[in-house]
Amino acid sequence: MRSLRISESGCRVLLAAFALAAALDLASLAVGFHGGHVFAKPLLMPLLAAWAAARGAPRVLVAALLCGWGGDVLLLSDADPAFLAGMTCFAAGHVCYLALFTRNGTPRVRTALLAPGYLVALVTTVTLLWPALPADLRIPVAGYSTLLVAMACTAAIRLGPVAGAGGALFLLSDTLIATGVADWPQPPRPDLWIMLTYIAAQFLLATGTLRAPEARPGPMATYGEVRSTTP
């Protein structure tokens, strides 16, 4: 057995690189610099995944973040096939999150009361969006929305407020995308708000997972250690 050790300072470098890429992306969107967004956006999830892996994250968390990276890259294109493919990548990420949360989390009775609220939000949003969505997107959006709401609700119920906030922000981010597709009125610089809530969502989901006792490395592992076995 052989261990790959990443020091605390190495983890901090990865986190700082993620923060720098996020700042560049958001600043580029704020000033309308498309080139900066195209450069920075594909860096976000690989850096966050590398940081999570360095902290000893479960593989399924890393997979969820890399699914987000696939969606990020695909959504840089305005083509309809790219939009559907990107939504599929994010849906795969939500499946990874659901598997992770149901395996590692502990149900919390108080937050379970959120479930009816999330269900109402799902039904209301899909019902209101349905007539305004292109016909070929209605079923995919409804299915994706169901997965997204299930992920957000499960994060809150099983992992607590940090991951729960991440799930809620992910829901807000994707709702902004859906209302834009449906040609609803948008806030100024909608892409900025979409990315701000999305970046915060993924970071909080990763952080909330890493704080869960079941997801922490075992007693023999050091901070930032990633274990691997070789024949």
Side-chain angles (χ1 to χ4, degrees), residues 171-193:
L171 181 58
L172 175 58
S173 179
D174 280 3
T175 299
L176 288 171
I177 295 175
T179 56
V181 172
D183 290 326
W184 284 18
Q186 297 291 294
R189 301 282 184 191
D191 288 346
L192 171 62
W193 297 110

Side-chain angles (χ1 to χ4, degrees), residues 17 27 49 68 76 78 82 87 93 147 158 178 180 183 195 230:
L76 286 171
D78 294 329
M87 187 163 58
L147 267 179
R158 298 190 69 91
D183 290 326
M195 285 305 299
T230 56

